[in-house]
Amino acid sequence: AALEVPGAENRVEKLTDFSDCPRPVLLLHGWMSARRTFDVLERRLRRDGYGVFSLDLGGLRGSAIGRGIDDLADLVRAKVERIYARNPGLGPLSIVGHSKGGLIATYYVKKLGGWRRTRAVVTLGTPYRGTPLGWLGVPIAPVVRSLAQMAPGSAFLAQLHDGAWPAQVRLSSVWSRRDGASPYPT
């Protein structure tokens, strides 16, 4: 019945009680992806006692599809600050980001002060040095800005690499030598 309601496919069922959440985890999906990418991981983390939440970062459709990685990181910052303002007892944040989601997490932590709230960042297949697929976005950058930002040698990636990683935030990057979208060494 829920699928018959317009917009129901993007409806978010709130499963985390932030009033008593010592171990919050934010899941950030990659480009052309959606929250459902993390369904199995989310269930496992909830089973293990973590409070899990995610944001709609615009996949194939949605209001965020044309936004840049920096804009999406600011969206993350605003949402995290609202959650912490409403729940002062909330524990330190852990972030898991896949592909572009890892770049969003990195920008949030390094450039937007997210290190103040974040304990750990785990990135999965994140193209820190860019992805060849990013070149496809250069001609249509005004429409799909984040894809152009992921092109190797982009001004965005240079800005992202500028400055040291905050020492108080643990960073783990999981990658594969056979990943065509995020080529080794990422």
Side-chain angles (χ1 to χ4, degrees):
L3 294 178
E4 296 173 12
V5 178
E9 66 276 1
N10 290 328
R11 185 177 55 204
V12 177
E13 186 177 346
K14 297 193 180 196
L15 300 174
T16 300
D17 177 11
F18 290 114
S19 64
D20 182 29
C21 184
R23 303 186 322 172
V25 177
L26 170 60
L27 302 176
L28 298 174
H29 62 78
W31 191 72
M32 300 291 280
S33 202
R35 291 177 166 147
R36 300 187 105 197
T37 303
F38 286 120
D39 277 353
V40 172
L41 178 61
E42 182 175 349
R43 283 194 303 271
R44 174 62 189 256
L45 289 170
R46 285 187 191 288
R47 189 187 82 198
D48 291 347
Y50 292 90
V52 183
F53 67 106
S54 62
L55 304 174
D56 182 8
L57 301 174
L60 290 171
R61 59 179 178 236
S63 61
I65 191 169
R67 297 175 77 175
I69 296 168
D70 47 346
D71 290 341
L72 293 170
D74 192 48
L75 177 89
V76 167
R77 182 203 54 76
K79 179 67 172 182
V80 167
E81 288 307 314
R82 279 195 305 273
I83 290 171
Y84 274 86
R86 284 188 230 135
N87 303 283
L90 199 59
L93 183 63
S94 295
I95 304 173
V96 178
H98 171 248
S99 189
K100 179 179 88 171
L103 294 175
I104 293 168
T106 301
Y107 195 89
Y108 164 66
V109 169
K110 279 184 75 174
K111 305 298 182 184
L112 300 179
W115 57 269
R116 292 180 190 92
R117 299 271 189 221
T118 307
R119 170 182 47 185
V121 174
V122 178
T123 62
L124 309 169
T126 297
Y128 286 110
R129 296 177 190 246
T131 175
L133 298 173
W135 294 116
L136 299 173
V138 173
I140 55 170
V143 178
V144 189
R145 199 168 126 229
S146 65
L147 185 57
Q149 288 177 322
M150 290 188 287
S154 73
F156 172 80
L157 290 176
Q159 177 191 14
L160 185 64
H161 293 299
D162 187 38
W165 182 259
Q168 63 272 38
V169 179
R170 291 181 301 199
L171 173 65
S172 297
S173 178
V174 180
W175 48 268
S176 168
R177 289 181 189 261
R178 295 183 180 180
D179 186 341
S182 184
Y184 173 82
T186 183

